[in-house]
Amino acid sequence: MSDASRERRKAQIAGVREWLRGRGRPPGPFRPEFWRSPLRGPWLTSVFGSVLLVGLPIVALTGLVSYAAYNPELPGNDMTPSKGLLGFYLFDWPTSPVWLYRLTQGTHVVLGLTLVPILLAKLWSVIPKLFAWPPFRSPAQLLERASLLLLVGGAVFEFVTGILNIQLFYVFPFSFYPAHLYGAWIFLAALVVHVALKLPRLVTALRSRGFRQEMRTDLRDTRPEPPDPDGLVAAAPAPASMSRRGLLAFVGGGSLTVLGLSVGQTMDGPIRSTALLAPHGRGYGPGPNDFQVNKTAASVGVTAAQTGPGWRLTLLGARQVLLTRQELLDLPLHTYRLPIACVEGWSTEQEWTGVRLADLARLCGVAEPGGVQARSMQQAGYFNQVSLSAGQVADHRSLLALRVNGADLSLDHGFPARIMVPNAPGVHTTKWVRELDFRVPS
Ligand SMILES: Nc1nc2c(c(=O)[nH]1)N[C@H]1C(S)=C(S)[C@@H](COP(=O)(O)O)O[C@H]1N2
Ligand SMILES: [Mo]
């Protein structure tokens, strides 16, 4: 052991003794000397912070939009029935433009994923503050730290639950939907407080160094930022082993890699196979039904026997009407290109052929439907039924689809019949429909 390290060890032991006697700081990360990266500092934190300041509100707002798109005020649609006041902003989800939910939800998921490396880098840059000692010096500071707990806890919670959900690991001991919604509001409230407190410092810090200058500074010339009142800059910095531009390139490159490996799930054509990070991001064959399947018929217990020649569609309205598949095919058919846009971020546009929902309403004696409840042959599960609004039923592109891309629906895509509504979230395009109930007050 060298003299220097023996000295350091001695000082550490003395420090721990002090702490045990009730004086001084706890050892390890509570000591400023513990954090030695020469790159930490207000400028670096502010660079990551400003990217998040633009990105996270977009992720949060598109998420809240997604909740509105579920039309939770309609019977059976709400997966957070105890939302209380949090539904104050809900509105009747429109059917046009057809690509709107595809865009907002694709943005929510893909941008969220893209921000993961930035969020981690930002948390890394401020981590010494987690161990600030004493934990607070004034009631105001205690409040500030409590809001940080909600901010960081909220962000981590939203990212973890969101990512587990899109990766189809339904491992939470609670329902994803209300938890992700409540978490979003907690996070947003803490973010507003944080931005109000920190915006002036962010601006000052960004002005303290030139971005271009920093991009031209190599490892040899990399020095710590000047000491700051927040204590982000290391008290005893180690020599730089990476330049600031190297760190930014590493984090930015990680972010672009995630973007590049996930954005394909929102597109059709060859580019789709680049979505290596998406759980459904594999290649598909050339057939008319060869596109992404969410839940297969087998996985939800829908059998070929239920969907065979014995299948009847029940229409409930002023009167009850039963239709075979052939009788449906003999009604006026219409064809539209409409997307399936899943809440999990993937989407695809296909050409659907079927009977207009409005025509089916008329067939069972409902001239002006107040909406419809579609029920599936699938026995259990959240998504075996949906309520659609009056506006959705009235849209001429809203179909009970029987065919896709010129062929009969495959069993996995909902044979004998499924709902297709323009701009509806994928979860509302109920497959294996057995009953359409138009007895909804208008
Ligand atoms: N009966 C039933 N319909 C359903 C689902 C389901 O689980 N059960 N999943 C929905 C969801 S979440 C989506 S995104 C779409 C996916 O349609 P696809 O599997 O044909 O691509 O179907 C919807 N229809
Ligand atoms: Mo979905």
Side-chain angles (χ1 to χ4, degrees), residues 14 41 45 48 67 71 80 93 101 123 171 185 208 222 289 300 312 340 360 418 431:
T45 294
F48 295 138
Y67 183 53
N71 276 341
T80 56
W93 185 247
Y101 187 75
L123 292 178
V171 292
W185 281 108
S208 71
T222 299
N289 274 280
V300 298
R312 296 289 179 276
I340 296 179
L360 292 170
R418 78 177 293 165
K431 304 194 277 191

PDB file of all heavy atoms in Angstrom, residues 14 41 45 48 67 71 80 93 101 123 171 185 208 222 289 300 312 340 360 418 431:
ATOM      1  N   ALA A  14     -11.163   7.706  10.340  1.00  0.00           N
ATOM      2  CA  ALA A  14     -11.428   8.800  11.276  1.00  0.00           C
ATOM      3  C   ALA A  14     -12.803   9.398  11.015  1.00  0.00           C
ATOM      4  O   ALA A  14     -13.569   9.677  11.939  1.00  0.00           O
ATOM      5  CB  ALA A  14     -10.345   9.871  11.138  1.00  0.00           C
ATOM      6  N   GLY A  41     -21.693  18.565 -13.686  1.00  0.00           N
ATOM      7  CA  GLY A  41     -21.742  20.005 -13.452  1.00  0.00           C
ATOM      8  C   GLY A  41     -23.036  20.552 -14.006  1.00  0.00           C
ATOM      9  O   GLY A  41     -23.751  19.849 -14.740  1.00  0.00           O
ATOM     10  N   THR A  45     -25.733  18.828 -16.787  1.00  0.00           N
ATOM     11  CA  THR A  45     -27.083  18.500 -16.316  1.00  0.00           C
ATOM     12  C   THR A  45     -28.126  19.281 -17.105  1.00  0.00           C
ATOM     13  O   THR A  45     -29.182  18.750 -17.460  1.00  0.00           O
ATOM     14  CB  THR A  45     -27.193  18.816 -14.814  1.00  0.00           C
ATOM     15  OG1 THR A  45     -26.324  17.924 -14.105  1.00  0.00           O
ATOM     16  CG2 THR A  45     -28.610  18.634 -14.295  1.00  0.00           C
ATOM     17  N   PHE A  48     -28.789  17.806 -20.707  1.00  0.00           N
ATOM     18  CA  PHE A  48     -29.722  16.673 -20.641  1.00  0.00           C
ATOM     19  C   PHE A  48     -31.112  17.177 -20.237  1.00  0.00           C
ATOM     20  O   PHE A  48     -32.132  16.738 -20.777  1.00  0.00           O
ATOM     21  CB  PHE A  48     -29.242  15.629 -19.626  1.00  0.00           C
ATOM     22  CG  PHE A  48     -27.938  14.971 -20.006  1.00  0.00           C
ATOM     23  CD1 PHE A  48     -26.949  14.747 -19.053  1.00  0.00           C
ATOM     24  CD2 PHE A  48     -27.706  14.572 -21.312  1.00  0.00           C
ATOM     25  CE1 PHE A  48     -25.753  14.131 -19.396  1.00  0.00           C
ATOM     26  CE2 PHE A  48     -26.507  13.953 -21.668  1.00  0.00           C
ATOM     27  CZ  PHE A  48     -25.531  13.737 -20.701  1.00  0.00           C
ATOM     28  N   TYR A  67     -55.535   8.276 -23.215  1.00  0.00           N
ATOM     29  CA  TYR A  67     -56.627   7.952 -22.286  1.00  0.00           C
ATOM     30  C   TYR A  67     -57.952   8.491 -22.833  1.00  0.00           C
ATOM     31  O   TYR A  67     -58.981   7.809 -22.790  1.00  0.00           O
ATOM     32  CB  TYR A  67     -56.323   8.528 -20.901  1.00  0.00           C
ATOM     33  CG  TYR A  67     -57.358   8.172 -19.864  1.00  0.00           C
ATOM     34  CD1 TYR A  67     -57.714   6.850 -19.651  1.00  0.00           C
ATOM     35  CD2 TYR A  67     -57.987   9.157 -19.117  1.00  0.00           C
ATOM     36  CE1 TYR A  67     -58.672   6.514 -18.704  1.00  0.00           C
ATOM     37  CE2 TYR A  67     -58.943   8.834 -18.171  1.00  0.00           C
ATOM     38  CZ  TYR A  67     -59.280   7.514 -17.973  1.00  0.00           C
ATOM     39  OH  TYR A  67     -60.237   7.193 -17.050  1.00  0.00           O
ATOM     40  N   ASN A  71     -62.229   6.748 -24.965  1.00  0.00           N
ATOM     41  CA  ASN A  71     -63.612   7.150 -24.667  1.00  0.00           C
ATOM     42  C   ASN A  71     -64.086   6.549 -23.349  1.00  0.00           C
ATOM     43  O   ASN A  71     -65.105   5.839 -23.300  1.00  0.00           O
ATOM     44  CB  ASN A  71     -64.552   6.736 -25.813  1.00  0.00           C
ATOM     45  CG  ASN A  71     -64.564   7.758 -26.933  1.00  0.00           C
ATOM     46  OD1 ASN A  71     -64.180   8.924 -26.752  1.00  0.00           O
ATOM     47  ND2 ASN A  71     -64.993   7.340 -28.104  1.00  0.00           N
ATOM     48  N   THR A  80     -59.857   2.720 -15.668  1.00  0.00           N
ATOM     49  CA  THR A  80     -59.527   3.364 -14.395  1.00  0.00           C
ATOM     50  C   THR A  80     -60.801   3.988 -13.848  1.00  0.00           C
ATOM     51  O   THR A  80     -60.938   5.203 -13.788  1.00  0.00           O
ATOM     52  CB  THR A  80     -58.467   4.452 -14.570  1.00  0.00           C
ATOM     53  OG1 THR A  80     -58.952   5.382 -15.538  1.00  0.00           O
ATOM     54  CG2 THR A  80     -57.161   3.900 -15.034  1.00  0.00           C
ATOM     55  N   TRP A  93     -63.725  11.453 -28.639  1.00  0.00           N
ATOM     56  CA  TRP A  93     -62.591  11.181 -29.527  1.00  0.00           C
ATOM     57  C   TRP A  93     -63.054  11.174 -30.988  1.00  0.00           C
ATOM     58  O   TRP A  93     -63.998  10.472 -31.329  1.00  0.00           O
ATOM     59  CB  TRP A  93     -61.943   9.845 -29.144  1.00  0.00           C
ATOM     60  CG  TRP A  93     -60.708   9.541 -29.911  1.00  0.00           C
ATOM     61  CD1 TRP A  93     -60.537   8.530 -30.815  1.00  0.00           C
ATOM     62  CD2 TRP A  93     -59.463  10.246 -29.849  1.00  0.00           C
ATOM     63  NE1 TRP A  93     -59.256   8.563 -31.321  1.00  0.00           N
ATOM     64  CE2 TRP A  93     -58.582   9.608 -30.761  1.00  0.00           C
ATOM     65  CE3 TRP A  93     -59.011  11.359 -29.145  1.00  0.00           C
ATOM     66  CZ2 TRP A  93     -57.274  10.042 -30.962  1.00  0.00           C
ATOM     67  CZ3 TRP A  93     -57.708  11.796 -29.347  1.00  0.00           C
ATOM     68  CH2 TRP A  93     -56.861  11.136 -30.243  1.00  0.00           C
ATOM     69  N   TYR A 101     -54.447   8.896 -33.967  1.00  0.00           N
ATOM     70  CA  TYR A 101     -54.022   8.071 -32.823  1.00  0.00           C
ATOM     71  C   TYR A 101     -52.738   7.316 -33.156  1.00  0.00           C
ATOM     72  O   TYR A 101     -51.872   7.111 -32.298  1.00  0.00           O
ATOM     73  CB  TYR A 101     -55.129   7.089 -32.409  1.00  0.00           C
ATOM     74  CG  TYR A 101     -54.778   6.353 -31.132  1.00  0.00           C
ATOM     75  CD1 TYR A 101     -54.849   7.005 -29.909  1.00  0.00           C
ATOM     76  CD2 TYR A 101     -54.333   5.030 -31.154  1.00  0.00           C
ATOM     77  CE1 TYR A 101     -54.505   6.358 -28.734  1.00  0.00           C
ATOM     78  CE2 TYR A 101     -53.988   4.370 -29.987  1.00  0.00           C
ATOM     79  CZ  TYR A 101     -54.073   5.048 -28.774  1.00  0.00           C
ATOM     80  OH  TYR A 101     -53.724   4.408 -27.617  1.00  0.00           O
ATOM     81  N   LEU A 123     -30.071  11.503 -14.660  1.00  0.00           N
ATOM     82  CA  LEU A 123     -30.072  11.014 -13.274  1.00  0.00           C
ATOM     83  C   LEU A 123     -28.637  10.769 -12.812  1.00  0.00           C
ATOM     84  O   LEU A 123     -28.267  11.086 -11.678  1.00  0.00           O
ATOM     85  CB  LEU A 123     -30.915   9.738 -13.148  1.00  0.00           C
ATOM     86  CG  LEU A 123     -32.424   9.936 -13.358  1.00  0.00           C
ATOM     87  CD1 LEU A 123     -33.167   8.616 -13.266  1.00  0.00           C
ATOM     88  CD2 LEU A 123     -32.993  10.941 -12.356  1.00  0.00           C
ATOM     89  N   VAL A 171     -46.359  -7.920 -15.357  1.00  0.00           N
ATOM     90  CA  VAL A 171     -45.893  -8.487 -14.096  1.00  0.00           C
ATOM     91  C   VAL A 171     -46.301  -7.667 -12.880  1.00  0.00           C
ATOM     92  O   VAL A 171     -45.948  -8.018 -11.772  1.00  0.00           O
ATOM     93  CB  VAL A 171     -44.351  -8.607 -14.094  1.00  0.00           C
ATOM     94  CG1 VAL A 171     -43.917  -9.644 -15.102  1.00  0.00           C
ATOM     95  CG2 VAL A 171     -43.708  -7.276 -14.406  1.00  0.00           C
ATOM     96  N   TRP A 185     -49.855  11.888 -13.620  1.00  0.00           N
ATOM     97  CA  TRP A 185     -50.261  13.160 -12.996  1.00  0.00           C
ATOM     98  C   TRP A 185     -49.313  13.541 -11.864  1.00  0.00           C
ATOM     99  O   TRP A 185     -48.983  14.722 -11.692  1.00  0.00           O
ATOM    100  CB  TRP A 185     -51.709  13.073 -12.507  1.00  0.00           C
ATOM    101  CG  TRP A 185     -52.669  13.258 -13.642  1.00  0.00           C
ATOM    102  CD1 TRP A 185     -53.454  12.309 -14.220  1.00  0.00           C
ATOM    103  CD2 TRP A 185     -52.914  14.473 -14.376  1.00  0.00           C
ATOM    104  NE1 TRP A 185     -54.187  12.847 -15.256  1.00  0.00           N
ATOM    105  CE2 TRP A 185     -53.872  14.177 -15.374  1.00  0.00           C
ATOM    106  CE3 TRP A 185     -52.414  15.775 -14.299  1.00  0.00           C
ATOM    107  CZ2 TRP A 185     -54.348  15.127 -16.284  1.00  0.00           C
ATOM    108  CZ3 TRP A 185     -52.895  16.730 -15.194  1.00  0.00           C
ATOM    109  CH2 TRP A 185     -53.844  16.405 -16.158  1.00  0.00           C
ATOM    110  N   SER A 208     -23.335  29.298 -19.620  1.00  0.00           N
ATOM    111  CA  SER A 208     -22.002  29.346 -19.027  1.00  0.00           C
ATOM    112  C   SER A 208     -20.941  28.709 -19.924  1.00  0.00           C
ATOM    113  O   SER A 208     -19.754  28.935 -19.745  1.00  0.00           O
ATOM    114  CB  SER A 208     -22.003  28.655 -17.657  1.00  0.00           C
ATOM    115  OG  SER A 208     -22.133  27.253 -17.820  1.00  0.00           O
ATOM    116  N   THR A 222     -10.215  18.653 -21.473  1.00  0.00           N
ATOM    117  CA  THR A 222     -11.453  18.578 -20.687  1.00  0.00           C
ATOM    118  C   THR A 222     -11.171  18.865 -19.219  1.00  0.00           C
ATOM    119  O   THR A 222     -10.372  18.171 -18.587  1.00  0.00           O
ATOM    120  CB  THR A 222     -12.109  17.190 -20.849  1.00  0.00           C
ATOM    121  OG1 THR A 222     -12.419  16.991 -22.222  1.00  0.00           O
ATOM    122  CG2 THR A 222     -13.368  17.080 -20.013  1.00  0.00           C
ATOM    123  N   ASN A 289     -53.204 -11.550 -45.064  1.00  0.00           N
ATOM    124  CA  ASN A 289     -53.359 -11.517 -43.602  1.00  0.00           C
ATOM    125  C   ASN A 289     -52.023 -11.509 -42.867  1.00  0.00           C
ATOM    126  O   ASN A 289     -51.981 -11.654 -41.643  1.00  0.00           O
ATOM    127  CB  ASN A 289     -54.190 -12.718 -43.137  1.00  0.00           C
ATOM    128  CG  ASN A 289     -55.693 -12.443 -43.200  1.00  0.00           C
ATOM    129  OD1 ASN A 289     -56.251 -11.800 -42.326  1.00  0.00           O
ATOM    130  ND2 ASN A 289     -56.332 -12.906 -44.260  1.00  0.00           N
ATOM    131  N   VAL A 300     -56.527 -16.578 -26.677  1.00  0.00           N
ATOM    132  CA  VAL A 300     -57.666 -16.107 -25.872  1.00  0.00           C
ATOM    133  C   VAL A 300     -58.802 -17.119 -25.881  1.00  0.00           C
ATOM    134  O   VAL A 300     -59.919 -16.826 -25.443  1.00  0.00           O
ATOM    135  CB  VAL A 300     -58.176 -14.727 -26.344  1.00  0.00           C
ATOM    136  CG1 VAL A 300     -57.095 -13.680 -26.190  1.00  0.00           C
ATOM    137  CG2 VAL A 300     -58.690 -14.776 -27.762  1.00  0.00           C
ATOM    138  N   ARG A 312     -73.427 -16.874 -35.898  1.00  0.00           N
ATOM    139  CA  ARG A 312     -74.421 -15.860 -36.294  1.00  0.00           C
ATOM    140  C   ARG A 312     -74.039 -14.544 -35.639  1.00  0.00           C
ATOM    141  O   ARG A 312     -73.623 -14.532 -34.470  1.00  0.00           O
ATOM    142  CB  ARG A 312     -75.837 -16.231 -35.804  1.00  0.00           C
ATOM    143  CG  ARG A 312     -76.422 -17.493 -36.393  1.00  0.00           C
ATOM    144  CD  ARG A 312     -76.799 -17.324 -37.877  1.00  0.00           C
ATOM    145  NE  ARG A 312     -77.344 -18.558 -38.420  1.00  0.00           N
ATOM    146  CZ  ARG A 312     -76.579 -19.570 -38.893  1.00  0.00           C
ATOM    147  NH1 ARG A 312     -75.263 -19.473 -38.884  1.00  0.00           N
ATOM    148  NH2 ARG A 312     -77.155 -20.658 -39.367  1.00  0.00           N
ATOM    149  N   ILE A 340     -54.567  -0.001 -37.855  1.00  0.00           N
ATOM    150  CA  ILE A 340     -54.673  -0.513 -36.483  1.00  0.00           C
ATOM    151  C   ILE A 340     -53.530   0.167 -35.748  1.00  0.00           C
ATOM    152  O   ILE A 340     -52.375   0.022 -36.152  1.00  0.00           O
ATOM    153  CB  ILE A 340     -54.481  -2.033 -36.400  1.00  0.00           C
ATOM    154  CG1 ILE A 340     -55.582  -2.770 -37.146  1.00  0.00           C
ATOM    155  CG2 ILE A 340     -54.460  -2.479 -34.938  1.00  0.00           C
ATOM    156  CD1 ILE A 340     -55.405  -4.289 -37.113  1.00  0.00           C
ATOM    157  N   LEU A 360     -75.900  -1.509 -40.314  1.00  0.00           N
ATOM    158  CA  LEU A 360     -76.345  -2.603 -39.431  1.00  0.00           C
ATOM    159  C   LEU A 360     -77.327  -2.068 -38.393  1.00  0.00           C
ATOM    160  O   LEU A 360     -78.296  -2.753 -38.034  1.00  0.00           O
ATOM    161  CB  LEU A 360     -75.140  -3.265 -38.765  1.00  0.00           C
ATOM    162  CG  LEU A 360     -74.239  -4.042 -39.741  1.00  0.00           C
ATOM    163  CD1 LEU A 360     -72.939  -4.460 -39.062  1.00  0.00           C
ATOM    164  CD2 LEU A 360     -74.979  -5.259 -40.299  1.00  0.00           C
ATOM    165  N   ARG A 418     -64.843  -8.374 -37.498  1.00  0.00           N
ATOM    166  CA  ARG A 418     -64.247  -7.518 -36.465  1.00  0.00           C
ATOM    167  C   ARG A 418     -64.647  -6.071 -36.700  1.00  0.00           C
ATOM    168  O   ARG A 418     -65.036  -5.680 -37.793  1.00  0.00           O
ATOM    169  CB  ARG A 418     -62.728  -7.635 -36.473  1.00  0.00           C
ATOM    170  CG  ARG A 418     -62.095  -6.837 -37.605  1.00  0.00           C
ATOM    171  CD  ARG A 418     -60.586  -6.886 -37.586  1.00  0.00           C
ATOM    172  NE  ARG A 418     -60.012  -6.217 -36.433  1.00  0.00           N
ATOM    173  CZ  ARG A 418     -58.747  -6.381 -36.054  1.00  0.00           C
ATOM    174  NH1 ARG A 418     -57.952  -7.184 -36.740  1.00  0.00           N
ATOM    175  NH2 ARG A 418     -58.277  -5.742 -35.024  1.00  0.00           N
ATOM    176  N   LYS A 431     -62.182  -8.058 -32.094  1.00  0.00           N
ATOM    177  CA  LYS A 431     -62.142  -9.192 -33.026  1.00  0.00           C
ATOM    178  C   LYS A 431     -63.170 -10.254 -32.607  1.00  0.00           C
ATOM    179  O   LYS A 431     -63.633 -10.275 -31.477  1.00  0.00           O
ATOM    180  CB  LYS A 431     -60.740  -9.802 -33.039  1.00  0.00           C
ATOM    181  CG  LYS A 431     -59.640  -8.780 -33.389  1.00  0.00           C
ATOM    182  CD  LYS A 431     -58.315  -9.432 -33.745  1.00  0.00           C
ATOM    183  CE  LYS A 431     -57.498  -9.797 -32.524  1.00  0.00           C
ATOM    184  NZ  LYS A 431     -56.102 -10.187 -32.887  1.00  0.00           N
TER     185      LYS A 431
END
